[in-house]
Amino acid sequence: RGAIAFRDVHFAYDGARPILKGISFEVPAGKTVAVVGPSGAGKSTLSRLLYRFYDVQRGSITIDGQDVRDVTQKSLRAVIGMVPQDTVLFNDTIAYNIRYGRVTASDAEVEVAAEAAQIADFIRGLPEGYLAMVGERGLKLSGGEKQRVAIARTILKAPPILILDEATSALDTKTEQEIQAALDIVSRNRTTLVIAHRLSTVINADEIIVLKDGVIAERGTHGELIERD
Ligand code: ADP
Ligand code: ADP
């Protein structure tokens, strides 16, 4: 479950300048589709429309055939997990931050999620472990550590749909590769929409959509797009 369809999607933030001008593509259940393109092309706008931060002005977005405009934001958030570019953590414990999204999870489940996100060793090494406070009056985590906490949270929440919005773009190359490996595990068998800047980071996507100025300029697998260049 979790098949997404964008059909003839049009959108303008202020009603003036069109940002998306008739976008149609599908993310089949369990597959990964990447949207790449230059900055300002409208990539993140697509994910914001799917998550209903805004609503489409023409066309539709459906999940398993149901228009997202007929779904409450609360139920959307139950089926969609989002790993943003820069994770902002709550000024609370690491355990709280990982549990956010599924507060009933046991300590053992939190531990398993942290292992999968490759941050469990780091957390166990802290004097207060999972009860360490992060944020203003607590621990200052690096960008990579914060992304791992966000990934652990998403693993624990286990949503059928995943949005990865430039989730590794703010990191250095080595950290980016490690986080990418963790994300590859999370996205396996989930319907995944990846927003990326560069083609080289989405080699394994089932399809790549190249967005330029609010229209689909090209689409295909990584191999097909490289060949055409
Ligand atoms: P991308 O993710 O491809 O870099 P975005 O979808 O973030 O692009 O933005 C597409 C265009 O929409 C950009 O020109 C951007 O300036 C504009 N935009 C983004 N957010 C807003 C907003 N909240 N209000 C007005 N314009 C916006
Ligand atoms: P969800 O409940 O599905 O996680 P939200 O839209 O509430 O979705 O939040 C998306 C992500 O943004 C959360 O997973 C969390 O990481 C972060 N977030 C939301 N609100 C806050 C906040 N007030 N402080 C810190 N992070 C937040």
Side-chain angles (χ1 to χ4, degrees):
R1 75 196 186 99
I4 305 166
F6 289 82
R7 287 200 218 292
D8 194 34
V9 167
H10 289 255
F11 182 74
Y13 280 99
D14 43 19
R17 189 168 62 97
I19 300 296
L20 298 174
K21 305 176 237 181
I23 301 294
S24 301
F25 69 93
E26 293 179 15
V27 192
K31 301 289 185 192
T32 296
V33 170
V35 178
V36 303
S39 180
K43 305 185 295 295
S44 292
T45 302
L46 277 175
S47 68
R48 290 179 206 130
L49 292 173
L50 176 59
Y51 214 53
R52 287 204 69 202
F53 286 134
Y54 301 93
D55 279 332
V56 302
Q57 283 144 359
R58 219 171 96 200
S60 67
I61 302 174
T62 58
I63 296 176
D64 293 328
Q66 186 175 33
D67 196 307
V68 293
R69 285 170 293 188
D70 297 332
V71 182
T72 63
Q73 212 170 33
K74 190 158 178 278
S75 13
L76 263 188
R77 281 162 193 215
V79 295
I80 302 175
M82 164 112 84
V83 181
Q85 181 171 0
D86 291 299
T87 295
V88 180
L89 297 176
F90 297 98
N91 295 326
D92 207 304
T93 65
I94 291 188
Y96 176 89
N97 273 285
I98 295 178
R99 269 205 187 85
Y100 183 86
R102 215 183 109 217
V103 290
T104 56
S106 69
D107 289 349
E109 287 172 314
V110 169
E111 176 81 18
V112 168
E115 287 287 356
Q118 298 171 24
I119 193 158
D121 288 343
F122 168 81
I123 295 170
R124 274 189 236 104
L126 298 170
E128 292 179 273
Y130 284 87
L131 297 179
M133 295 288 290
V134 298
E136 277 157 23
R137 283 165 302 156
L139 205 62
K140 271 197 70 81
L141 299 183
S142 71
E145 287 154 1
K146 281 193 266 189
Q147 285 312 73
R148 282 177 222 260
V149 170
I151 292 167
R153 174 189 294 165
T154 304
I155 290 171
L156 193 64
K157 187 177 163 188
I161 296 175
L162 207 57
I163 302 174
L164 309 178
D165 192 350
E166 308 219 26
T168 61
S169 66
L171 308 170
D172 63 77
T173 311
K174 180 169 173 287
T175 312
E176 176 175 5
Q177 284 168 357
E178 289 170 4
I179 304 264
Q180 194 58 55
L183 288 174
D184 285 345
I185 296 168
V186 189
S187 60
R188 205 168 290 158
N189 300 321
R190 282 185 211 295
T191 311
T192 309
L193 182 66
V194 184
I195 309 291
H197 211 71
R198 285 173 291 126
L199 212 52
S200 59
T201 57
V202 291
I203 294 169
N204 296 322
D206 296 294
E207 188 180 22
I208 298 170
I209 306 286
V210 182
L211 208 61
K212 277 189 189 132
D213 290 330
V215 297
I216 295 178
E218 260 192 295
R219 59 198 295 171
T221 61
H222 185 265
E224 287 164 356
L225 292 176
I226 292 289
E227 211 165 281
R228 270 179 238 155
D229 265 347

